[in-house]
Amino acid sequence: MSSTNLTELLNGGAGGGQRAQGITIGAFFSALTLAIALFAGQLLIFLAINGQLKRIYRPKTFLVPARERAPAPPKGPWQWIFTLFKTTNAEFIQKCGLDAYFFLRYLRALLKIFIPIMFIILPVLLPLNAVGGRGPDFAQGPFRSSTYTNVTGLDVLAWGNVSPFHNHRYWAHLVLALVVIVWSCYVFFDELKGYIRLRQAYLTSPQHRLLASATTVLVTAIPSKWCTVEALEGLYDVFPGGIRNIWINRRFDELHEKVKYRDKVAMRLEKAETELIRKAKKAATKRSARDAKQKGDRKSKTQLSEILAAANQRGLDMAQTDGVSSGDPLQVMHTFDETRPRTSDQTPSASGTMSQSLDHTLSGQGEEDQRPLSQPSPITPTCNPPAVVNGKAEKVEDGVTVYQKAYNEQFDPNEGEPKWRQYLEEKDRETMRLPIFEWMFAIPLIGKKVDTIYYCRKELARMNLEIEQDQIQPEKYPPMNSAFVQFNHQVAAHMACQAVSHHTPKQMAPRVVEISPDDVIWDNMSNRWWESYFRTAIVLLVIGALTVGWAIPVTFTGLLSHVSTLENISWLSWIRHVPQSVLSIIQGVLPPALLSLLLLVLPLTLRILAKTQGNVTGMAVELSVQKFYFAFLFVQLFLVVSISSGITSIIPELASKPQSVPSLLATNLPKASNYFFSYMLLQALTTSGGALLQVWQLIQWFLLSPLLDGTARQKWKRQMKLPDMHWGTFFPVYTNLACIGLIYSVISPLILIFNIITFGLFWIVYRYNTLYVTKFKFDTGGLLFPTAINQLFTGLYVMELCLIGLFFLVRDVAIENGQAKSVGTPCKPQAIIMIVALLLTVIYQWLLNTAVSPLLRYLPITLEDEAVMRDEEFAKAQERRWALEDGGQQESQQSGEYEMQDMYGARRQGDPDTPVSASWANRARRVTHISFPRQQQHQNRKHSDLEAQTKNFATEDRIAEALFAGISDEIEDLTPENRDVLIKRAFRHAALRAARPAVWIPRDDLGISDDEIERTKAFSKYIWISNAGTGLNGKGKVQYQKSPPDFSEVDLIQL
């Protein structure tokens, strides 16, 4: 491809927005007719079905733990809207978190900006622009020249319609532009102030202070000299309260890969076993029908229905039982008695097995650099005890671990006739191809062909044994240069983050607090400081290239829509021989499909780059993606569309003449304003309608689920997995729209109306979705909000630069020899004032960030006194709560929510600057000695068909009761003893905490499932296989009655 062709591809979308210049009102609304009709249709469908399909439209009213559950809205097509406005902010934060709250507050802040300036600007600028303006007949007589043009359509209400005889009117534009700048800056300050106040109240609430993440700091880039428990303890014990736990991170890559491979093998074995049982059930049903037909025993439709109902009931009854299990290692902690470390004198369970690997993981024994400081070290670097698994010591020969045999090599799978053979033949069993090399993936028709069940049994048993042996000997893995340090007091963690830890630059930095243990990206825990800089530079270069080169694939999709016109090119002459039907598909279906795929791949690509950059948590990845994605959207969806020169021409021009930015913007941006009118309304109508209707969820539930979900686990996951939100690619979309609104607020003020419609509609839709549909697993504490506020300054800067250029471009008119000529620069004073405003805006943003930056992430010391007093009140409330529960009375919600009540008002204890009589450290010590009664332990729950809601959505209360009754899903529901048990294992590597997976297969009335479990048990004791809580209905489909055996309710608790 020549350089000319490449340049054309890169500039393919340049100036596309200018094609809408001069569009008439009729043409504008005609273009929106389809979007309006689509939105109306989606809204009507939603109103008609949202009450029936509660699993799709209201899952958070029953399919989440009680604390996150939202009350169902009243019945009626429009009653849900009133509920959105009645839900208090405190209740919303409790159920959805700060990220969701601050996203909606962000939309509200945008409305707070645009609504007042709309009522100020529109009454002033619309008449000034329209009355006595150029209009459609201006370029006539002496004005007939290329200098002057006619103004038509919606442009008569914009900047360009002001007549050169009325240049004094531009003073109004200047004054109103200053109003927009001042008002926006005030809102930015006010919102950041509110953000700081609310975030501080949330972080210092008693519930949050109980979390391990509130008091734990991640320290990275630690020199080897300091990367020991003793060194870190001696370094950080200077902070108030001292240190509670230290975890030195180790490189468990090999073990982690084993865990992932084991999970893959377990799921494949589960699927193969399930399919074997289903095939046998269907074969038995066909055999019975065939035998009945041969005997002439014809059944009526009523009788057949009764037989099917009886079979369904038998399957349901079987699924209600505890079934048969083998190989349960007691690694799944359904209760805290199971979570707590066991000693050798404790009595094993009925199964007779005791998970020593779990005991090790929880108790901290066996690893010198991952232990609570309150316990003595069980080993020394020079004297490590041999690892023990099931009473047998692991062998190490020549530095290579030798694992014992995990299964019975003499086992004959055909010994005694397997029950499946009564209904199936050997060829009916599932088979698989093995990869030629270990590092390769399997290739169809190539490689050794094996029986899936037999092969996966061997692999699963082998991997279970190896992983459990490796988990109890973590010291053999090399350490990373990072560690988690947990303090006894929250204020100490925040002080440690802000203090300089090491005398060498970039060592033991950065330090991060408020990290969720499950959100850690372990692969990035060993990055050196220079490696982070190097990775960041590479990622920025890739994103820059992606931003510039994005036009190539987009232009290619555009060419596909006109592929028939390319047949005249010599090397594409074969196109004329392609059938017309194929061309129609290529031109009509392929372009939008490829474009949708590109838009889907882009956020995934940005997340991969953000991980490559070295971010240590998923939330840090989202923060990076937010910055990358906004830059991409602003360049590609605004600048490239608005400026006709093309990106390959703009970059060299700006590099050589940076002072030409105002004139470049002033020449191009006003011409594209009408395009963004349509763009905003299309975004508001189509996106909000689709988000409300949950189109993708409907496709997943009613189309993909019947096709893809064959096992009980797959059905359970589909039931339990709610839509999530990727904030990193969510905020930038609306920030980009807001920036466009700010840029055109004075140039083309009509856009303010569309801004308000867009953000108002999105606020309603996403408040509903966040409250009733979307589940949030991790939370940044609202850190994306200040980033989004800062990105709004981009809109102000571009508006100011554009207005500077526009003011300098304004000319007076003089008639000479019957021809109008442009003379002078009448708006130079306005341009100079706007330059001053631009400089003041830059200074304001710098001062604002300098003032608030330390408070955006960290807590000040002045809040600790009040926080400890609230801890005392909360502890007393919890004592009363436990007393009420022990007495059989109903729990009071007041004890769980009192600390949120003053989140928005004045502090109960008065001015936080007023000192209190006792120090917070002394009061904190008293709080830690309060003990709570043990909560009611989780019991096995069996109920009516949990999957029935796929057909009947009236069973949500029974589903909630069956799945979540009795679960202590909040950290404050636990006793201090139980909290300590969980916290001690909180920041261990996920590979160390990985439990043996259960192969969950359905129970059947033919006995095949029970027989498979017995044969698996005879084959190996290292395979956990169970048919508890699941069965087959009359048609041979899987149904389940409770969560999988290896589901741990402990994992629901956020640490």
Side-chain angles (χ1 to χ4, degrees):
M1 179 181 291
S2 66
S3 59
T4 303
N5 293 334
L6 178 60
T7 302
E8 291 176 355
L9 282 176
L10 290 172
N11 298 334
Q18 297 186 14
R19 303 187 189 106
Q21 184 180 10
I23 187 174
T24 64
I25 297 178
F28 172 72
F29 282 106
S30 296
L32 293 177
T33 301
L34 179 61
I36 294 172
L38 180 62
F39 173 77
Q42 291 174 324
L43 179 61
L44 291 175
I45 295 174
F46 168 78
L47 295 176
I49 66 177
N50 81 91
Q52 288 73 38
L53 305 183
K54 295 181 181 179
R55 169 57 185 82
I56 305 295
Y57 297 110
R58 301 174 189 175
K60 288 180 68 176
T61 60
F62 67 97
L63 207 54
V64 293
R67 188 61 60 89
E68 300 177 28
R69 214 169 290 164
K75 294 182 178 180
W78 300 102
Q79 296 302 315
W80 56 274
I81 294 182
F82 302 107
T83 305
L84 300 182
F85 289 94
K86 292 179 181 178
T87 303
T88 64
N89 289 335
E91 183 181 3
F92 188 89
I93 292 172
Q94 184 181 1
K95 298 184 183 305
C96 303
L98 281 186
D99 282 339
Y101 169 78
F102 276 114
F103 171 71
L104 293 173
R105 179 157 180 164
Y106 182 62
L107 294 179
R108 191 187 71 180
L110 297 179
L111 292 173
K112 185 178 176 180
I113 292 173
F114 288 111
I115 290 177
I117 63 177
M118 182 193 71
F119 284 110
I120 296 173
I121 290 178
L122 292 187
V124 177
L125 287 191
L126 291 186
L128 285 178
N129 292 338
V131 176
R134 298 186 181 190
D137 304 317
F138 182 75
Q140 297 181 8
F143 297 97
R144 186 184 297 276
S145 68
S146 58
T147 305
Y148 301 100
T149 58
N150 295 324
V151 180
T152 59
L154 295 176
D155 289 338
V156 299
L157 303 174
W159 173 287
N161 193 50
V162 176
S163 171
F165 297 107
H166 301 140
N167 286 335
H168 60 281
R169 295 184 180 182
Y170 286 119
W171 282 105
H173 293 77
L174 172 66
V175 172
L176 292 175
L178 296 177
V179 169
V180 171
I181 296 169
V182 172
W183 174 245
S184 298
C185 288
Y186 168 75
V187 172
F188 297 163
F189 167 75
D190 187 60
E191 289 299 320
L192 288 178
K193 185 175 67 174
Y195 162 81
I196 292 171
R197 182 174 62 250
L198 184 56
R199 176 177 163 84
Q200 289 175 349
Y202 178 82
L203 294 183
T204 56
S205 64
Q207 285 100 328
H208 186 82
R209 284 162 63 88
L210 291 174
L211 301 179
S213 57
T215 56
T216 303
V217 175
L218 169 64
V219 185
T220 59
I222 305 176
S224 57
K225 174 184 175 182
W226 294 94
C227 200
T228 64
V229 171
E230 291 76 12
L232 291 174
E233 181 183 3
L235 180 65
Y236 286 112
D237 65 355
V238 298
F239 295 106
I243 299 174
R244 186 175 186 179
N245 289 307
I246 293 178
W247 296 270
I248 303 294
N249 298 322
R250 289 182 174 271
R251 193 182 299 278
F252 292 104
D253 296 352
E254 179 184 351
L255 180 58
H256 194 49
E257 289 300 319
K258 285 185 177 181
V259 171
K260 291 192 291 185
Y261 175 68
R262 177 183 67 176
D263 292 341
K264 181 181 177 181
V265 170
M267 294 306 102
R268 186 152 195 172
L269 176 59
E270 184 176 277
K271 183 179 179 182
E273 290 277 15
T274 301
E275 191 62 25
L276 177 71
I277 297 168
R278 291 184 60 196
K279 284 182 178 179
K281 176 68 175 178
K282 291 179 179 179
T285 303
K286 289 181 180 179
R287 181 184 298 179
S288 299
R290 184 174 63 251
D291 292 345
K293 185 177 181 181
Q294 290 176 352
K295 294 178 181 179
D297 185 10
R298 296 182 177 274
K299 300 287 192 302
S300 64
K301 290 184 178 180
T302 303
Q303 291 175 319
L304 292 175
S305 298
E306 292 176 352
I307 293 174
L308 180 61
N312 289 338
Q313 187 59 46
R314 286 196 304 272
L316 192 61
D317 292 340
M318 297 195 76
Q320 296 277 12
T321 66
D322 291 332
V324 180
S325 294
S326 172
D328 184 351
L330 289 183
Q331 283 185 307
V332 175
M333 299 152 288
H334 293 289
T335 73
F336 288 95
D337 281 339
E338 297 169 0
T339 306
R340 188 175 294 104
R342 293 177 171 81
T343 58
S344 59
D345 59 342
Q346 287 179 292
T347 303
S349 66
S351 64
T353 60
M354 181 70 71
S355 173
Q356 296 185 10
S357 64
L358 175 65
D359 294 346
H360 166 82
T361 303
L362 293 177
S363 64
Q365 296 182 358
E367 186 177 2
E368 173 70 15
D369 52 10
Q370 293 191 1
R371 62 180 176 87
L373 295 179
S374 59
Q375 297 182 2
S377 175
I379 61 174
T380 64
T382 59
C383 182
N384 292 339
V388 178
V389 178
N390 294 330
K392 298 179 181 179
E394 176 186 336
K395 297 180 180 179
V396 179
E397 297 179 0
D398 297 329
V400 178
T401 303
V402 179
Y403 300 100
Q404 302 170 14
K405 284 296 181 182
Y407 53 86
N408 181 8
E409 294 182 330
Q410 307 302 321
F411 176 76
D412 182 6
N414 295 316
E415 181 180 354
E417 186 181 12
K419 290 195 174 183
W420 62 266
R421 284 191 176 276
Q422 300 175 14
Y423 308 97
L424 301 173
E425 298 179 5
E426 190 76 31
K427 62 182 180 63
D428 296 323
R429 292 174 62 89
E430 183 177 329
T431 59
M432 59 183 290
R433 295 278 182 177
L434 299 182
I436 301 175
F437 302 102
E438 290 185 0
W439 50 268
M440 285 184 62
F441 54 86
I443 302 175
L445 304 178
I446 299 177
K448 183 180 179 181
K449 186 177 182 181
V450 296
D451 184 282
T452 301
I453 293 177
Y454 297 154
Y455 177 79
C456 288
R457 278 180 185 171
K458 292 180 181 180
E459 286 295 287
L460 183 58
R462 180 176 67 86
M463 296 311 301
N464 279 337
L465 176 62
E466 291 185 12
I467 289 170
E468 289 166 14
Q469 287 185 351
D470 292 342
Q471 284 176 332
I472 63 174
Q473 203 174 13
E475 65 275 3
K476 71 180 183 181
Y477 294 94
M480 295 181 178
N481 61 341
S482 61
F484 290 100
V485 180
Q486 185 187 19
F487 295 87
N488 284 309
H489 297 316
Q490 184 185 37
V491 66
H494 286 260
M495 292 170 68
C497 281
Q498 299 176 78
V500 179
S501 294
H502 200 271
H503 55 277
T504 305
K506 302 303 180 182
Q507 297 295 327
M508 303 187 74
R511 295 170 300 281
V512 187
V513 72
E514 296 291 342
I515 293 181
S516 174
D518 294 328
D519 194 35
V520 173
I521 301 176
W522 294 99
D523 293 339
N524 289 341
M525 282 296 185
S526 59
N527 293 340
R528 298 176 179 85
W529 67 267
W530 59 266
E531 188 177 351
S532 298
Y533 281 91
F534 178 75
R535 289 186 175 201
T536 300
I538 296 297
V539 167
L540 292 178
L541 288 175
V542 172
I543 290 177
L546 184 65
T547 303
V548 173
W550 183 254
I552 296 177
V554 172
T555 303
F556 175 73
T557 59
L559 289 176
L560 286 178
S561 62
H562 304 285
V563 70
S564 59
T565 62
L566 303 178
E567 60 185 22
N568 295 326
I569 301 176
S570 58
W571 59 279
L572 293 176
S573 58
W574 55 270
I575 293 178
R576 64 171 59 98
H577 304 297
V578 176
Q580 188 61 39
S581 58
V582 176
L583 282 178
S584 299
I585 294 175
I586 293 175
Q587 295 182 138
V589 178
L590 204 55
L594 288 177
L595 189 58
S596 299
L597 182 62
L598 285 173
L599 295 177
L600 181 66
V601 169
L602 177 62
L604 298 177
T605 304
L606 293 179
R607 284 191 176 85
I608 292 173
L609 291 173
K611 289 181 181 179
T612 305
Q613 186 182 6
N615 290 295
V616 294
T617 66
M619 289 294 98
V621 168
E622 293 301 311
L623 287 167
S624 295
V625 170
Q626 180 188 18
K627 299 171 185 175
F628 299 156
Y629 198 44
F630 171 72
F632 177 88
L633 291 178
F634 192 76
V635 172
Q636 282 293 332
L637 295 186
F638 176 67
L639 293 180
V640 171
V641 170
S642 302
I643 299 174
S644 60
S645 302
I647 197 166
T648 57
S649 302
I650 295 172
I651 294 176
E653 180 180 352
L654 295 183
S656 59
K657 298 179 180 179
Q659 68 275 14
S660 64
V661 171
S663 62
L664 178 68
L665 296 175
T667 305
N668 289 275
L669 295 193
K671 300 176 183 178
S673 59
N674 293 338
Y675 167 81
F676 290 109
F677 295 167
S678 304
Y679 175 75
M680 280 198 176
L681 277 184
L682 286 172
Q683 284 285 316
L685 296 173
T686 57
T687 305
S688 62
L692 197 61
L693 187 57
Q694 294 290 318
V695 177
W696 176 239
Q697 289 298 309
L698 291 173
I699 293 173
Q700 280 188 312
W701 193 260
F702 291 105
L703 182 61
L704 298 182
S705 179
L707 295 176
L708 303 179
D709 299 343
T711 68
R713 189 183 302 273
Q714 289 173 332
K715 292 175 179 288
W716 178 83
K717 283 184 177 180
R718 185 80 66 180
Q719 173 79 289
M720 297 296 295
K721 183 175 174 58
L722 303 187
D724 56 357
M725 196 80 76
H726 296 292
W727 295 116
T729 51
F730 216 71
F731 268 88
V733 174
Y734 307 98
T735 304
N736 189 50
L737 295 176
C739 286
I740 293 172
L742 289 172
I743 292 167
Y744 284 106
S745 58
V746 175
I747 300 170
S748 187
L750 203 62
I751 202 169
L752 297 172
I753 298 175
F754 303 112
N755 273 111
I756 293 170
I757 294 173
T758 299
F759 297 128
L761 199 55
F762 280 131
W763 186 90
I764 294 175
V765 170
Y766 288 116
R767 189 167 178 89
Y768 178 89
N769 281 350
T770 52
L771 190 60
Y772 291 113
V773 180
T774 309
K775 182 175 174 61
F776 309 97
K777 187 175 182 182
F778 303 116
D779 197 275
T780 67
L783 288 177
L784 296 101
F785 181 80
T787 302
I789 292 293
N790 268 283
Q791 288 172 344
L792 288 176
F793 277 98
T794 307
L796 291 182
Y797 293 143
V798 175
M799 180 195 74
E800 291 164 342
L801 288 171
C802 185
L803 286 176
I804 291 171
L806 287 171
F807 284 134
F808 275 124
L809 291 176
V810 172
R811 297 289 186 269
D812 279 330
V813 63
I815 306 295
E816 296 181 3
N817 301 323
Q819 189 68 33
K821 291 186 177 181
S822 298
V823 295
T825 310
C827 291
K828 184 181 293 185
Q830 292 96 317
I832 294 173
I833 293 174
M834 190 53 60
I835 292 173
V836 174
L838 173 61
L839 296 176
L840 291 176
T841 306
V842 173
I843 295 173
Y844 174 81
Q845 184 183 13
W846 178 76
L847 291 175
L848 179 65
N849 286 326
T850 302
V852 304
S853 288
L855 297 173
L856 295 180
R857 189 178 288 266
Y858 303 117
L859 292 174
I861 300 175
T862 53
L863 296 179
E864 186 65 18
D865 285 324
E866 181 188 352
V868 173
M869 287 189 289
R870 285 195 287 177
D871 287 346
E872 292 176 341
E873 295 178 22
F874 178 74
K876 294 176 183 177
Q878 287 291 85
E879 281 192 316
R880 292 193 297 270
R881 174 186 176 192
W882 295 122
L884 287 174
E885 289 185 352
D886 287 347
Q889 302 181 27
Q890 187 175 5
E891 175 187 342
S892 171
Q893 290 184 348
Q894 182 179 1
S895 64
E897 298 179 359
Y898 83 92
E899 81 289 345
M900 302 287 284
Q901 294 173 357
D902 67 328
M903 189 169 283
Y904 308 97
R907 302 182 183 272
R908 290 192 304 273
Q909 304 299 332
D911 192 338
D913 294 331
T914 302
V916 292
S917 56
S919 73
W920 55 264
N922 292 332
R923 287 196 304 275
R925 294 190 188 98
R926 293 202 301 268
V927 173
T928 58
H929 286 90
I930 296 176
S931 61
F932 301 136
R934 181 181 304 279
Q935 76 278 6
Q936 180 182 0
Q937 300 292 352
H938 167 70
Q939 302 293 332
N940 288 333
R941 299 173 298 278
K942 296 181 282 291
H943 224 292
S944 58
D945 188 6
L946 300 188
E947 200 185 358
Q949 53 82 51
T950 59
K951 302 293 189 293
N952 177 13
F953 286 80
T955 62
E956 63 272 6
D957 292 335
R958 297 199 297 273
I959 294 173
E961 176 69 19
L963 293 178
F964 299 107
I967 295 178
S968 300
D969 60 288
E970 295 293 330
I971 193 73
E972 67 266 22
D973 293 337
L974 312 180
T975 65
E977 182 185 14
N978 288 335
R979 286 199 296 268
D980 289 341
V981 171
L982 292 183
I983 288 174
K984 287 174 183 176
R985 67 186 289 270
F987 288 97
R988 294 189 180 276
H989 196 288
L992 286 181
R993 293 183 277 119
R996 183 185 298 182
V999 179
W1000 195 30
I1001 61 176
R1003 201 173 193 189
D1004 63 294
D1005 53 3
L1006 303 177
I1008 296 175
S1009 177
D1010 292 351
D1011 184 62
E1012 288 294 300
I1013 292 175
E1014 291 300 324
R1015 290 180 175 276
T1016 303
K1017 180 179 180 180
F1019 176 73
S1020 174
K1021 63 181 179 181
Y1022 295 106
I1023 298 178
W1024 184 7
I1025 184 169
S1026 173
N1027 57 17
T1030 179
L1032 296 179
N1033 65 12
K1035 294 183 178 180
K1037 293 184 177 180
V1038 178
Q1039 55 189 1
Y1040 63 93
Q1041 299 305 302
K1042 61 180 181 180
S1043 299
D1046 53 358
F1047 169 69
S1048 174
E1049 289 86 348
V1050 175
D1051 292 336
L1052 295 174
I1053 301 174
Q1054 292 187 2
L1055 298 174

